[in-house]
Amino acid sequence: MTATALAFSRVSMEFPGVKALDDVSFGVAAGSVHALVGENGAGKSTLLKILSGAYTPSGGSLMIDGQPRVFTSTADALAAGVAVIYQELHLVPEMSVAENLFLGHLPQRLGLVNRKQLADAARKQLDLIGEQIEPSTKVGRLPLAQRQMVEIAKALTRGARIIAFDEPTSSLSDREVRRLFTIIRELKARGCAILYVSHRMEEIFELCDAITILRDGRHVETGALGAFSRDKVVQRMVGRELANIYNYAPRPHAGAGLVVEGVCGPGLAEPCSFAAEAGEIFGFFGLIGAGRSELLRLLYGAVKKTAGRVTFAGRELAIASPRDAIGAGVVLCPEDRKKEGVIPIRSVLENTNLSARRRHARGGILIDENWEHANATRRVEQLRVKTPSLRQLIRNLSGGNQQKVILGRWLSETVKVILLDEPTRGIDVGAKSEIYAIMQDLARQGVCVIIVSSELPEVLGVSDRIAVMRQGRIAAILDRADASEEKLLKLALPVETARAS
Amino acid sequence: MPTASRKTLSAFLDKAGMLVVLAILFLGCALGVDNFFSWANMKGLTLAVSMTGMVSCTMLFCLAAGDFDLSIGSVVACSGMLAAVVMNHTGSVALGVLAGLGLGALVGLFNGFIVARLKINALITTLATMQIVRGLGYETNHGNSIGITQEGFFWLGSSSFFGIPTPVWITALCFAAFGFLLNRTVFGRDALAVGGNPEAAHLAGISVERIKITIFTLQGIMAAFAGIVLASRVTSGQPKTSEGFELEVISACVLGGVSLTGGVGSMAFVIAGVFIMGIVQNAMSLLNLDSFHQYIVRGSILLAAVLFDRWKRRRGAA
Ligand SMILES: Nc1ncnc2c1ncn2[C@@H]1O[C@H](COP(=O)(O)OP(=O)(O)OP(=O)(O)O)[C@@H](O)[C@H]1O
Ligand SMILES: [Mg+2]
């Protein structure tokens, strides 16, 4: 039995109106990867923020190597060998990789930063995790996966022995996920204690040694992962059985729907055409950067298309802006909810009604408070958004619950076509199955549902037909019956790589 | 038990914030400063804040939407000058007022267009128009002020209803109207959304450009109107007047808890901010403090307010 490197002892955390954590105790062994799972809003991120010193718990304590510790800042935690790698990374985009690595203790001589020494030291650190990044590159220029690597290198630079990851893979491509796992395994071999938060069961069962399950801020169970099956984890997480989360049922299609002909624009290598019937769930699979999000943005009018025609039920849709799109019944749940979805400092109510309130205003001008309240209440109930009140600022909700509010925003509109860009990213299994059910419901009502997803099981599980995109073009469109993981992956891989292998 | 009562107290302070500060300040001055709580002084005080009050209504929108407007002081001066010239030449008060307002609308529209359509930083844009319009004000009459010959015009600044000066009534009306606009209309809420996250607002179908241009135009018109009221009060157009007025207005808004990064703002707090500034100024004059002390005091209050706000937010987040 290895030593317990980190222990939470009766940790509680209260926010106004919310008990985010309630008497949580468990330990993480050195040299192990410990999964932390739970539904959206279960308190995982809050626990990590306590670990990093961003929050001070309202009760209980942290034990590092058996010693109770209190962190009042991230610098404190780092000094004690604790690093938390958040999903939104905390690097300074304007600074170089090297400067970020040594931020706060740059090698100095007489108060001047020694560039050469800095670059050398940085290169050494990056080599440790096998990363070839030029230390003078500005962090803002790096793709997300590499930024994450820099963040890990930074943690190691400070000698971190306890490293926590909050949903690190949610925006990584498959290959990047592999790299990350290799590094995590290496850290483990070096005796680090790793706390790993994710909603992806496959990852957890592949990577982790132990697991802790939280529900509604309470500790449910901790144990060696070997003692758990997938179903058991899910059952403990959501508190009920979840048989088949996709619950796919064929639906009759309701005839002519969205027809896209020769649409061109930035991000697309050639004109794109496809047709999705009303009542159909049409999936888009592809690697990150294949042009799927770009295509959706063109259809939505967020980016102006340079050519092409879009019709619904035979009628041309003249869409030059998102506003036109919404008017025509076309809505988009964007991929990056933080940047493009939520208005962080406004309430759940306002974020829900953000779009539909225009059409429900009295005389088109005056806010209809009654409607606003009723609608927000209805969406919060329908999607089971976990929030203490409608007045809560949306930035105080957990990531998954923010996503639900954005879905609720579009359910408040009368939609003909709903474009979903990675709609279940960062969403727990229970909520996922609810979202799939909603998609099927919409389709049954004759809505044309278009979903972009990088998760193979998801596209395969929900779609009637699947288009695979590769390098800015639609490579193929497959029927549900013809599609398999291998086929989709093969079609999605860039041509050069496919030939080489 | 003590923690519970402390919690409700801090929740109350969070909600009431500057209103409490205003109340305490008012009581303090009423008790501690001679002549403060007299009818004549109250009238003077409200008249003194009426201009800041008016323009802070539109500045609130501007800041809420994540923008800035430094050109208002110049618009005040220039519109007063233009109104004076047009009135004297045509003999028509209405034409003069219209010309002044028109100028404000044009400057605002121009600001809005550059900021919203051409996506140039508002600070820089309005820093430029601030100087241009100031210059235009001087050009109007070779740098000299102009006495207004139309006496009918002086009614605007010097009349009163029920003993309260007309400009004060107008300001009260503006507070009510813009407070309503912010809280009860789609336009107001959309403005806050635009300030909170322009990209998300755009993707939710809000016409970000149109909202910004409208706000800047309203701002220009309001500043011009304030300039016309001022011209009426001093019976002349003054090209030098209201330098630094923009900072006074922005200070009042910030004091009223409007976030400079957009997305947050409430009319009640802005009113409190306007009055806090006004009362401090008024009390200092009554106490015969030199005007250069007043600068220091005003700056310190602003700094204190911002620090207080930050402290409140930190504690809220923890
Ligand atoms: N700053 C805050 N103010 C108020 N409530 C908060 C704050 N931060 C978190 N919460 C609440 O605490 C609870 C736990 O949130 P947390 O972010 O830890 O969930 P999570 O398990 O990480 O969920 P997800 O899987 O969706 O990321 C949620 O109900 C959330 O609304
Ligand atoms: Mg989280």
Side-chain angles (χ1 to χ4, degrees):
Chain A
M1 191 63 212
T2 37
T4 303
L6 162 70
F8 294 96
S9 165
R10 317 208 57 178
V11 170
S12 297
M13 183 76 205
E14 264 181 79
F15 296 110
V18 191
K19 193 141 200 193
L21 291 171
D22 186 5
D23 202 11
V24 172
S25 309
F26 66 93
V28 180
S32 80
V33 183
H34 194 113
L36 180 61
V37 300
E39 288 182 292
N40 297 130
K44 304 176 296 290
S45 297
T46 305
L47 198 65
L48 296 203
K49 282 183 187 152
I50 288 175
L51 181 61
S52 75
Y55 290 164
T56 315
S58 33
S61 60
L62 279 179
M63 318 269 271
I64 310 282
D65 297 325
Q67 302 291 322
R69 299 296 292 260
V70 180
F71 299 142
T72 51
S73 71
T74 345
D76 252 16
L78 259 177
V82 176
V84 175
I85 294 174
Y86 295 107
Q87 202 183 331
E88 318 87 53
L89 304 176
H90 286 199
L91 299 168
V92 185
E94 301 306 321
M95 286 189 170
S96 73
V97 171
E99 286 166 323
N100 267 289
L101 284 183
F102 293 97
L103 200 63
H105 55 191
L106 294 163
Q108 292 178 349
R109 189 180 292 154
L110 302 174
L112 295 175
V113 177
N114 184 334
R115 297 257 151 222
K116 168 132 181 22
Q117 202 183 333
L118 180 65
D120 289 345
R123 204 163 285 127
K124 219 164 87 199
Q125 286 301 330
L126 290 167
D127 279 348
L128 278 182
I129 56 166
E131 193 59 48
Q132 270 117 31
I133 306 173
E134 177 49 44
S136 61
T137 323
K138 289 225 180 344
V139 161
R141 296 262 178 84
L142 297 177
L144 194 83
Q146 286 197 327
R147 265 188 258 176
Q148 207 165 44
M149 293 301 162
V150 174
E151 187 98 59
I152 296 172
K154 181 178 167 191
L156 295 179
T157 307
R158 308 297 309 265
R161 290 170 308 104
I162 296 167
I163 304 181
F165 292 87
D166 199 354
E167 302 189 39
T169 56
S170 58
S171 338
L172 298 189
S173 70
D174 246 9
R175 197 182 319 172
E176 292 163 342
V177 171
R178 294 289 120 212
R179 288 264 348 247
L180 179 69
F181 282 12
T182 315
I183 288 168
I184 291 181
R185 288 200 181 96
E186 230 164 81
L187 294 175
K188 170 181 151 182
R190 268 190 238 164
C192 290
I194 313 272
L195 198 53
Y196 188 86
V197 175
S198 175
H199 286 294
R200 298 190 179 167
M201 289 298 146
E202 314 88 68
E203 291 180 355
I204 287 166
F205 278 88
E206 181 189 337
L207 186 70
C208 301
D209 308 299
I211 187 167
T212 288
I213 301 167
L214 297 181
R215 185 163 72 227
D216 287 335
R218 251 166 290 196
H219 179 256
V220 177
E221 203 165 342
T222 293
L225 199 65
F228 286 82
S229 67
R230 229 169 256 227
D231 288 346
K232 185 171 164 196
V233 171
V234 172
Q235 195 265 331
R236 293 284 198 283
M237 246 171 78
V238 300
R240 67 198 136 93
E241 296 283 348
L242 266 185
N244 177 0
I245 64 166
Y246 301 115
N247 213 359
Y248 179 86
R251 288 152 263 109
H253 294 173
L258 185 73
V259 179
V260 175
E261 290 169 297
V263 164
C264 299
L268 298 182
E270 61 181 40
C272 279
S273 303
F274 68 92
E277 283 177 43
E280 182 172 10
I281 299 180
F282 193 90
F284 272 92
F285 179 71
L287 302 182
I288 287 172
R292 297 165 303 165
S293 300
E294 286 75 6
L295 179 58
L296 291 200
R297 293 174 70 86
L298 286 171
L299 295 180
Y300 189 56
V303 176
K304 286 211 173 68
K305 56 179 187 285
T306 50
R309 230 169 79 92
V310 180
T311 59
F312 187 86
R315 293 247 297 278
E316 171 143 15
L317 302 179
I319 294 175
S321 71
R323 196 189 187 106
D324 294 345
I326 296 164
V330 178
V331 300
L332 169 76
C333 278
E335 179 181 17
D336 185 346
R337 73 176 154 248
K338 192 156 186 187
K339 209 170 121 238
E340 307 179 319
V342 299
I343 313 279
I345 43 180
R346 308 304 305 174
S347 65
V348 169
L349 179 133
E350 279 191 64
N351 271 283
T352 309
N353 298 328
L354 190 61
S355 174
R357 68 181 171 206
R358 280 196 294 280
R359 281 179 308 97
H360 291 272
R362 295 200 203 108
I365 295 172
L366 295 187
I367 296 270
D368 183 344
E369 306 271 355
N370 292 335
W371 175 84
E372 294 236 329
H373 197 84
N375 184 57
T377 309
R378 178 155 167 230
R379 302 306 159 198
V380 161
E381 278 168 10
Q382 180 183 15
L383 296 165
R384 291 200 237 170
V385 178
K386 208 180 149 208
T387 175
S389 82
L390 296 179
R391 297 260 152 240
Q392 178 77 313
L393 300 190
I394 195 165
R395 69 161 176 217
N396 290 339
L397 298 198
S398 78
N401 282 299
Q402 296 184 12
Q403 178 75 346
K404 291 187 189 176
V405 170
I406 295 178
L407 262 177
R409 180 188 298 165
W410 295 130
L411 294 180
S412 319
E413 294 276 3
T414 32
V415 292
K416 289 186 191 138
V417 179
I418 185 163
L419 310 167
L420 302 165
D421 199 349
E422 307 280 2
T424 64
R425 172 175 290 170
I427 289 217
D428 71 60
V429 243
K432 263 187 193 171
S433 77
E434 284 161 23
I435 287 176
Y436 300 144
I438 287 168
M439 285 168 59
Q440 298 221 36
D441 252 7
L442 286 171
R444 222 168 278 124
Q445 292 159 28
V447 173
C448 180
V449 179
I450 303 211
I451 172 177
V452 161
S453 171
S454 303
E455 277 187 63
L456 268 174
E458 177 170 283
V459 217
L460 285 165
V462 297
S463 316
D464 296 317
R465 279 188 303 153
I466 301 164
V468 181
M469 285 193 77
R470 176 177 70 214
Q471 293 174 312
R473 45 178 70 88
I474 295 180
I477 298 179
L478 305 174
D479 274 331
R480 180 184 181 84
D482 299 333
S484 67
E485 297 213 0
E486 300 77 59
K487 263 193 201 164
L488 292 190
L489 263 179
K490 206 160 163 200
L491 283 165
L493 282 180
V495 191
E496 303 84 32
T497 340
R499 217 179 283 140
S501 62
Chain B
M1 189 57 211
T3 57
S5 64
R6 192 180 310 150
K7 219 176 254 171
T8 45
L9 178 68
S10 74
F12 172 72
L13 278 179
D14 273 354
K15 280 233 171 62
M18 282 299 150
L19 296 177
V20 177
V21 175
L22 175 62
I24 293 171
L25 185 67
F26 188 87
L27 277 178
C29 288
L31 296 176
V33 180
D34 282 341
N35 295 328
F36 177 80
F37 196 52
S38 66
W39 180 245
N41 188 51
M42 283 297 113
K43 214 157 88 175
L45 170 66
T46 46
L47 195 59
V49 299
S50 66
M51 262 179 71
T52 325
M54 268 178 228
V55 184
S56 65
C57 291
T58 43
M59 186 62 88
L60 164 61
F61 274 77
C62 201
L63 295 173
D67 285 323
F68 237 102
D69 191 348
L70 297 178
S71 68
I72 49 175
S74 302
V75 171
V76 166
C78 191
S79 67
M81 288 296 291
L82 189 66
V85 169
V86 172
M87 258 176 241
N88 287 354
H89 273 74
T90 61
S92 156
V93 170
L95 274 182
V97 169
L98 273 181
L101 293 180
L103 172 92
L106 273 179
V107 174
L109 196 63
F110 182 77
N111 281 336
F113 181 83
I114 304 264
V115 171
R117 187 61 69 78
L118 306 184
K119 313 256 177 327
I120 308 284
N121 180 295
L123 198 75
I124 295 167
T125 306
T126 58
L127 191 63
T129 45
M130 165 175 134
Q131 304 183 53
I132 295 171
V133 176
R134 178 65 66 181
L136 288 177
Y138 282 120
E139 301 275 353
T140 315
N141 194 29
H142 315 290
N144 303 316
S145 55
I146 303 182
I148 295 171
T149 52
Q150 295 304 113
E151 296 196 355
F153 176 61
F154 305 148
W155 169 87
L156 183 61
S158 56
S159 61
S160 39
F161 288 100
F162 307 110
I164 294 172
T166 308
V168 176
W169 283 112
I170 295 175
T171 305
L173 218 65
C174 289
F175 282 151
F178 281 91
F180 185 82
L181 194 64
L182 186 68
N183 293 319
R184 296 296 173 80
T185 68
V186 175
F187 176 78
R189 297 282 181 90
D190 282 359
L192 288 166
V194 166
N197 185 349
E199 181 64 19
H202 173 65
L203 287 180
I206 294 173
S207 311
V208 176
E209 272 182 24
R210 213 179 61 196
I211 287 197
K212 288 196 166 192
I213 293 177
T214 310
I215 289 175
F216 272 107
T217 309
L218 281 175
Q219 170 92 294
I221 293 174
M222 194 59 123
F225 185 67
I228 287 165
V229 173
L230 183 69
S232 166
R233 267 169 60 193
V234 300
T235 68
S236 61
Q238 302 277 352
K240 273 212 223 12
T241 185
S242 301
E243 283 193 32
F245 179 60
E246 58 283 339
L247 298 183
E248 219 170 283
V249 171
I250 292 172
S251 301
C253 288
V254 171
L255 205 55
V258 183
S259 152
L260 284 187
T261 47
V264 182
S266 106
M267 199 65 209
F269 280 21
V270 166
I271 297 174
V274 167
F275 273 94
I276 290 172
M277 285 295 206
I279 288 175
V280 169
Q281 185 106 358
N282 178 270
M284 285 191 299
S285 310
L286 289 178
L287 293 172
N288 280 323
L289 277 185
D290 280 326
S291 65
F292 41 84
H293 292 322
Q294 300 190 8
Y295 279 108
I296 298 172
V297 172
R298 266 187 354 217
S300 312
I301 290 176
L302 186 61
L303 203 58
V306 176
L307 290 176
F308 172 69
D309 187 56
R310 159 92 152 264
W311 171 78
K312 225 171 55 183
R313 226 174 317 152
R314 275 270 177 82
R315 215 202 27 190

